[in-house]
Amino acid sequence: MRAGVRSRESRRLLLEAGAEEFAQTGFYQTKVSSIAARAGLTQPDFYIHFESKEQMYEELVESFRTLVNETVQSMKVDPDQSETEILRRGQVFLEAIFRVLSNNPAITRVGFYQAADSVRIKAEMAEHIKKHLLAAQRWGSCREELDPELTAECVIGLIERLTLTKLLPGRESPSVLAMQARNLLYRGMLASEGYGTVES
């Protein structure tokens, strides 16, 4: 194996090990020696690639933020969509989010729950969703009386909780969670339209 390839592989192993250590024991309890040992490397190997565990942690959080933002930005809302297409795209979007979070469980625990930046990451997600909701309202495919900001925060709360209680423990798959979440968000909980309508 060439030196450059070996170096990249060592860095990758350290990042994976770091994510696991941070996820399991938290930032303050994690030691550089533990990260290196989990990666099958030494502490000097660690310091070839990272100045400190703080630098590694920040890199992991930023990579999570980038991945989540790219996924949320892939959400598509277009005018004149049929109800079937809206539901299909909703399913695709939610499943993509859950799949990203499921494919990177250690980084998800760090970036979505532990890191101080998790608040900013979720706020950015909510802002993207809010923009899509505003567009959908302009085009008449989303109810006008819904508050886009509040609705976006509800979506993030749903994703956050289901990820913690169902996805990361392996109790449900991304596709099942996406379908259930989509049905709740797009169709609501009432058995039939107009049942129990409350006047505002």
Side-chain angles (χ1 to χ4, degrees):
M1 186 182 293
R2 297 194 309 275
V5 174
R6 187 164 56 247
S7 178
R8 286 195 297 274
E9 177 67 7
S10 295
R11 196 174 199 283
R12 183 188 66 78
L13 290 171
L14 285 165
L15 283 168
E16 288 181 359
E20 293 288 345
E21 287 291 322
F22 291 131
Q24 289 178 15
T25 63
F27 175 78
Y28 293 104
Q29 298 301 315
T30 295
K31 296 179 172 60
V32 168
S33 58
S34 302
I35 296 171
R38 182 185 280 266
L41 299 166
T42 65
Q43 282 186 244
D45 290 325
F46 178 94
Y47 288 110
I48 289 171
H49 299 282
F50 303 97
E51 292 179 6
S52 62
K53 72 173 186 178
E54 287 85 356
Q55 184 197 357
M56 171 182 272
Y57 192 82
E58 288 170 6
E59 183 171 328
L60 286 167
V61 172
E62 186 57 29
S63 68
F64 175 79
R65 175 177 171 263
T66 300
L67 184 61
V68 167
N69 272 332
E70 287 174 354
T71 306
V72 174
Q73 288 173 20
S74 70
M75 181 182 185
K76 300 294 182 188
V77 178
D78 295 318
D80 303 322
Q81 286 181 339
S82 67
E83 181 178 331
T84 299
E85 180 62 14
I86 289 170
L87 290 171
R88 187 192 71 79
R89 290 196 183 190
Q91 171 84 20
V92 168
F93 168 69
L94 288 164
E95 186 167 344
I97 290 288
F98 283 125
R99 200 163 296 286
V100 162
L101 298 174
S102 174
N103 287 344
N104 305 276
I107 296 178
T108 294
R109 289 190 183 278
V110 172
F112 215 43
Y113 300 101
Q114 288 182 7
D117 261 4
S118 66
V119 174
R120 178 170 69 108
I121 290 168
K122 284 175 272 197
E124 289 172 347
M125 291 174 68
E127 188 61 28
H128 287 304
I129 293 170
K130 174 185 166 184
K131 288 177 183 175
H132 289 299
L133 289 169
L134 284 166
Q137 284 179 325
R138 284 196 305 273
W139 295 325
S141 57
C142 183
R143 284 164 42 201
E144 289 183 7
E145 71 272 18
L146 288 179
D147 179 329
E149 184 174 347
L150 189 148
T151 304
E153 294 290 349
C154 289
V155 173
I156 297 303
L158 180 147
I159 292 170
E160 182 180 21
R161 185 64 184 167
L162 289 179
T163 298
L164 185 64
T165 62
K166 302 291 186 182
L167 190 66
L168 293 180
R171 294 171 61 191
E172 289 291 357
S173 68
S175 58
V176 168
L177 288 179
M179 181 181 64
Q180 291 290 326
R182 182 206 67 180
N183 289 344
L184 174 61
L185 291 167
Y186 288 72
R187 296 197 182 279
M189 293 188 291
L190 298 184
S192 60
E193 189 174 345
Y195 178 83
T197 300
V198 177
E199 296 289 336
S200 58

